[in-house]
Every structure is written in C-alpha cells, then in structure tokens.
C-alpha cells in the first residue's frame, strides 16, 4: 500500500491510524502529488473519486492501494472495502486531495494497469492528441456505453488523470486502454483499417461499419496531423446543415459512435 511505502512508521502503527486531519501529513502530500502525470508514473497509482467510480474499479478487478473517506461516507465504503484499508479524513483534508469542485467524500488509490499486449487490440477508437480531460473522459464513457472494446491513446492527455477518471464515472474500467505512439499504432494494428474523423471531405457515418475499424478522433483545435491523415484508410465527416464549422470533439465522437454502433432500424 502507498501508506505503508511512504510512511516511516511500522505497519502495525499505520493500520491503527484511522484519522488524518493535517494537510502536512506525508500521505496527504503524496496523494496531492498524484494529480501530476509524473508522479502517477513514478508511483504507478491513480486517483478515483465517488462511490460509483470506486466500486466499478473494484468490481472489475483493479488493485486497490488505499481508500479515504469522510465520516459521512465511511459506512457506505466499508461494505466494499476492509476497514483496515480505509483512512478517515475531515472535510477540509478531503477537499485538499479531491479534484472535484464538490468532493463526494470518498476517494481511493488504484494501481495503474500495464498497457495490454498488442495482440489484444481489436477494432475500437483512437484518441489522437486529445488534450482536454473532460473530452477524453466523455469519449471513453460513451465508448464503454456502446461496448467499444479497445481505446488507443496517442499522446495528449493522460487517461489516468483524475479529471479523466472522474469524467468516465468509472467506465474506464470497462474498456481496454492502450497507450502508444502513432508509429506503434501503425505497427500493431495489423489489418484493422483506420477511419479518421475530419471536418470536411469525408463520407457520412453510415458509409462505414466502425465495428470493423479503428475510429480516429484528433485534437480538439487542430484535428489530426496531415501526415497521420495520409496514413489513414478512410475518412468520415458529420454533415452539419446548420452552418457551424465544427463540433466539440467529444460530441462529434459520441454522435458518430452511436450512429455506427447502434444504427436506427
């Protein structure tokens, strides 16, 4: 556990430590550090907040490192996690480690899983240089809802960013996440075609069966780099008769996935 690794006291004393109120406590300071990608990589841990998010990761086999709750949420979390793995915090301290505007009062640390082996890649979605955590989380949540099995992250936002995890509402646990470079994607995709979402000149969503392809969504502001576009097999564009130039990346991805994964009869 992170608590046992970072604290200098013997394990027996740590297990007796049920309540933390100081922002200067080394455990609290380390959790705050996990809000940065560098420290998440160093410790191999990510933050999950809220009852639904935490229990979803638990139910799908993610390895719990430690759990923190205010007095109000203790009895709820206790039904899923052993009592000696739960640390009580006051509301102020919980607010310090939370990434939420309105903290739920429940927070847990989980081990970041290793990137799956390339042979496990299936048709799915590629998030190429998506920068906004909310956009990435929303796309992942939509993909999970439509049973899209594979998510490939190419550059951009860290999928284990607390804001991404929060935006997925735990559905990150329902998909297989690959973190690759663009070249690794080309090397590992084998015969799976790449179908890129573009602002113009592409075919309508009904043209392609994305269940047999990797659907590529590019950067919110700049789209997919020209070189990467040239390496895609197909191009898809959402018709917009209302004269708007483009849609938010998450909205465009959600509409496209729904049309192609759940076609209307």
């Amino acid at each position: 556990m992170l608590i046992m690794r970072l604290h200098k006291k013997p394990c027996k004393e740590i297990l007796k430590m049920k309540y933390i109120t100081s922002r200067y406590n080394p455990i609290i300071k380390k959790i705050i550090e996990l809000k940065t990608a560098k420290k998440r990589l160093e410790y191999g841990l990510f933050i999950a907040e809220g009852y639904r998010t935490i229990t979803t990761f638990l139910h799908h086999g993610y390895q719990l490192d430690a759990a923190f709750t205010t007095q109000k949420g203790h009895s709820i979390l206790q039904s899923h996690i052993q009592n000696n793995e739960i640390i009580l915090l006051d509301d102020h301290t919980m607010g310090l480690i939370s990434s939420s505007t309105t903290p739920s009062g429940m927070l847990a640390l989980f081990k970041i899983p290793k990137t799956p082996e390339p042979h496990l890649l299936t048709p799915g979605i590629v998030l190429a240089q998506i920068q906004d955590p909310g956009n990435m989380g929303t796309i992942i949540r939509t993909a999970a809802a439509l049973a899209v099995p594979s998510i490939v992250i190419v550059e951009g936002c860290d999928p284990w960013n607390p804001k991404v995890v929060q935006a997925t509402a735990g559905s990150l646990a329902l998909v297989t996440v690959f973190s690759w470079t663009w070249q690794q994607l080309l090397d590992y995709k084998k015969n799976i075609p790449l179908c890129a979402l573009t602002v113009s000149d592409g075919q309508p969503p009904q043209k392609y069966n994305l269940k047999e392809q990797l659907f590529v969504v590019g950067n919110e502001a700049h789209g997919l780099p020209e070189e990467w576009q040239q390496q895609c097999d197909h191009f898809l564009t959402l018709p917009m008769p209302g004269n708007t130039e483009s849609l938010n990346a998450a909205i465009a991805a959600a509409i496209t996935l729904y049309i192609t994964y759940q076609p209307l009869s």
Side-chain angles (χ1 to χ4, degrees):
M1 293 174 65
L2 177 67
I3 295 173
M4 296 182 182
R5 291 204 309 272
L6 299 179
H7 210 282
K8 295 181 180 180
K9 294 182 179 180
C11 292
K12 289 184 179 179
E13 292 184 30
I14 292 166
L15 292 179
K16 292 178 182 178
M17 186 175 61
K18 299 291 185 181
Y19 201 60
I20 297 176
T21 58
S22 172
R23 65 178 297 174
Y24 302 107
N25 184 287
I27 296 169
I28 299 303
K29 292 170 71 174
K30 294 296 182 180
I31 296 172
I32 293 173
E33 287 184 332
L34 287 174
K35 294 181 181 181
T36 68
K38 178 181 178 180
K39 289 300 181 180
R40 287 193 295 274
L41 180 63
E42 180 179 335
Y43 294 123
L45 298 170
F46 71 92
I47 297 170
E49 292 191 63
Y51 175 79
R52 183 202 296 181
T53 300
I54 292 171
T55 54
T56 300
F57 281 112
L58 287 172
H59 292 163
H60 286 83
Y62 276 66
Q63 185 177 346
L64 178 72
D65 186 86
F68 303 83
T69 180
T70 58
Q71 187 67 50
K72 183 178 180 180
H74 181 262
S75 60
I76 301 172
L77 210 55
Q78 194 178 29
S79 62
H80 297 275
I81 301 173
Q82 294 182 17
N83 197 46
N84 63 6
E85 294 180 306
I86 300 176
I87 303 300
L88 287 174
L89 306 177
D90 61 16
D91 291 337
H92 176 70
T93 309
M94 178 61 77
L96 292 175
I97 63 175
S98 173
S99 296
S100 175
T101 304
T102 307
S104 66
M106 287 175 273
L107 182 148
L109 307 181
F110 288 94
K111 300 279 189 182
I112 296 176
K114 294 181 179 179
T115 294
E117 293 297 320
H119 72 270
L120 296 175
L121 178 68
T122 65
I125 186 167
V126 178
L127 304 183
Q129 298 181 334
I130 294 293
Q131 298 290 339
D132 183 78
N135 282 338
M136 178 173 286
T138 299
I139 296 172
I140 291 173
R141 186 174 182 178
T142 303
L146 294 170
V148 178
S150 292
I151 309 286
V152 181
I153 309 296
V154 179
E155 300 178 10
C157 186
D158 175 15
W160 306 107
N161 180 311
K163 293 183 179 180
V164 175
V165 176
Q166 184 178 0
T168 71
S171 59
L172 189 58
L174 308 178
V175 296
T176 303
V177 179
F178 303 82
S179 293
W180 290 337
T181 64
W182 181 261
Q183 187 57 52
Q184 285 176 318
L185 171 64
L186 297 179
D187 292 340
Y188 296 150
K189 74 181 186 66
K190 297 183 179 179
N191 297 324
I192 305 176
L194 297 177
C195 184
L197 179 64
T198 58
V199 174
S200 62
D201 302 325
Q203 297 293 325
Q206 296 85 348
K207 177 73 174 181
Y208 301 116
N209 180 5
L210 290 187
K211 291 183 179 181
E212 298 176 353
Q213 306 196 44
L214 281 162
F215 173 45
V216 185
V217 181
N219 176 267
E220 295 92 337
H222 308 292
L224 203 61
E226 182 64 30
E227 180 183 353
W228 295 4
Q229 285 191 41
Q230 293 176 4
Q231 295 167 321
C232 291
D233 302 283
H234 304 120
F235 300 93
L236 182 154
T237 298
L238 287 174
M240 287 181 285
N243 295 321
T244 57
E245 182 180 341
S246 63
L247 290 171
N248 168 275
I251 295 296
I255 292 172
T256 304
L257 288 173
Y258 189 84
I259 291 173
T260 54
Y261 272 78
Q262 295 290 326
L264 298 176
S265 57

